[in-house]
């Protein structure tokens, strides 16, 4: 729908709470640009944002491990 959401743990918890309370269709959310949008399927939205969040977290973890293996500034700069 052209909306933008920063996916945070808070957003995931809020959406999970709405779903747990039975709010699963035609839910109005306010996006990061303060634009109200209607989410037709909140369960699918939750699945999508969780997939995105964990995909980014896994990539960040992988990059963090690689950086932590490098012991010197020279090693970091020369790559």
């Amino acid at each position: 729908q052209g909306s933008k959401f920063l996916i945070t743990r808070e957003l995931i918890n809020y959406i999970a709470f709405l779903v747990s309370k039975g709010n699963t269709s035609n839910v109005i959310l306010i996006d990061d640009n303060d634009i109200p949008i209607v989410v037709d399927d909140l369960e699918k939205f939750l699945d999508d944002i969780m997939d995105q969040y964990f995909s980014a977290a896994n990539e960040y973890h992988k990059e963090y491990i690689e950086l932590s293996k490098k012991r010197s500034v020279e090693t970091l700069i020369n790559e």
Side-chain angles (χ1 to χ4, degrees), residues 1-5 29-33 35-39 45:
Q1 294 179 346
S3 55
K4 178 181 177 259
F5 291 93
L29 299 176
I30 309 299
D31 77 358
D32 290 351
N33 296 316
I35 298 171
I37 65 148
V38 176
V39 177
F45 182 76

Side-chain angles (χ1 to χ4, degrees), residues 4-74:
K4 178 181 177 259
F5 291 93
L6 177 63
I7 302 171
T8 63
R9 290 177 295 229
E10 292 82 6
L11 177 64
I12 292 170
N13 284 325
Y14 176 65
I15 300 303
F17 172 75
L18 291 174
V19 169
S20 75
K21 293 296 183 183
N23 298 306
T24 58
S25 61
N26 298 319
V27 176
I28 297 173
L29 299 176
I30 309 299
D31 77 358
D32 290 351
N33 296 316
D34 292 326
I35 298 171
I37 65 148
V38 176
V39 177
D40 297 326
D41 185 346
L42 204 60
E43 290 174 306
K44 181 179 180 330
F45 182 76
L46 178 60
D47 288 342
D48 291 346
I49 64 174
M50 286 181 64
D51 287 346
Q52 288 290 321
Y53 182 85
F54 287 112
S55 176
N58 287 334
E59 183 64 28
Y60 175 65
H61 180 262
K62 186 171 85 174
E63 291 176 14
Y64 180 82
I65 295 300
E66 286 300 315
L67 283 175
S68 68
K69 289 179 183 177
K70 299 177 181 185
R71 303 274 178 184
S72 69
V73 173
E74 291 82 22

